[in-house]
Amino acid sequence: MSIAGFDPETAGNHEEIEQQFAVKTVEHLEAYTKLLQALPPKKLKLTKVDDELFEDFKATFPELATPEAIAKLDEGEMKSAKGKEKWRNFIMKYEKVIPDYNFGTMLRPDAKREYDHDNNMFATRTQFYAIEVARNKLGVNDDIHNELQGKKL
């Protein structure tokens, strides 16, 4: 779809759109935090294709497929030219499978900590799902679940 007279290459940022994006992003991370608090992570189902996504993630990113590796992400590596290309190829497989597959969201680089000002990074929805499904299935999010159980959100 194109809009007459609109050139995305020269378009500036619109404050209202950025604010709406920020609100949606915060709503998403708050909802996920509440899910982590409410249910044991191994019981969480984030997408209709969690098992397929997990198997594909392990095959595509074997270097991240251990509890130790997925617990603490290297944002620089993920966002390097090589990392971006590998992730882009992975994400595109889910274009018609995961709603809002490339919508931006926040991800915790350190799974042992809650979201905060220095424990968040921008990721696509598919990256978020792949990483959090892996963390849940590998037991990495168990500690944060137990910590959140002691808090009232």
Side-chain angles (χ1 to χ4, degrees):
M1 179 175 108
S2 65
I3 300 171
F6 178 77
D7 179 4
E9 298 299 322
T10 60
N13 293 337
H14 292 281
E15 188 174 331
E16 308 84 40
I17 293 172
E18 288 180 6
Q19 287 174 349
Q20 289 173 1
F21 172 76
V23 167
K24 282 289 198 191
T25 300
V26 169
E27 287 173 351
H28 182 258
L29 72 87
E30 286 176 343
Y32 186 60
T33 300
K34 287 179 182 177
L35 281 173
L36 281 175
Q37 179 187 34
L39 296 169
K42 288 185 180 178
K43 292 188 177 188
L44 286 177
K45 184 141 176 78
L46 301 180
T47 74
K48 293 178 182 179
V49 294
D50 279 9
D51 293 335
E52 173 190 329
L53 189 63
F54 182 53
E55 292 304 317
D56 190 13
F57 174 78
K58 290 189 306 184
T60 305
F61 301 97
E63 69 279 7
L64 293 175
T66 66
E68 300 76 27
I70 198 71
K72 195 152 190 169
L73 301 172
D74 181 343
E75 184 175 5
E77 177 63 30
M78 287 179 67
K79 294 185 177 184
S80 69
K82 185 178 176 183
K84 282 181 180 181
E85 181 179 353
K86 194 171 183 181
W87 274 108
R88 187 178 312 110
N89 292 334
F90 179 84
I91 290 164
M92 291 311 296
K93 291 186 266 183
Y94 296 94
E95 179 179 12
K96 296 191 183 337
V97 179
I98 295 176
D100 299 325
Y101 76 102
N102 68 344
F103 190 83
T105 193
M106 300 309 288
L107 179 65
R108 295 170 300 130
D110 184 349
K112 301 295 182 191
R113 297 175 38 218
E114 292 182 58
Y115 286 103
D116 65 29
H117 69 281
D118 66 343
N119 192 40
N120 66 78
M121 65 183 262
F122 186 76
T124 66
R125 188 69 52 97
T126 303
Q127 285 174 303
F128 171 86
Y129 285 140
I131 289 165
E132 290 299 330
V133 164
R135 286 174 169 174
N136 291 341
K137 288 183 177 286
L138 295 172
V140 174
N141 278 334
D142 291 352
D143 289 341
I144 198 74
H145 165 73
N146 293 332
E147 182 181 322
L148 291 169
Q149 281 282 294
K151 295 181 178 181
K152 181 149 177 117
L153 294 178

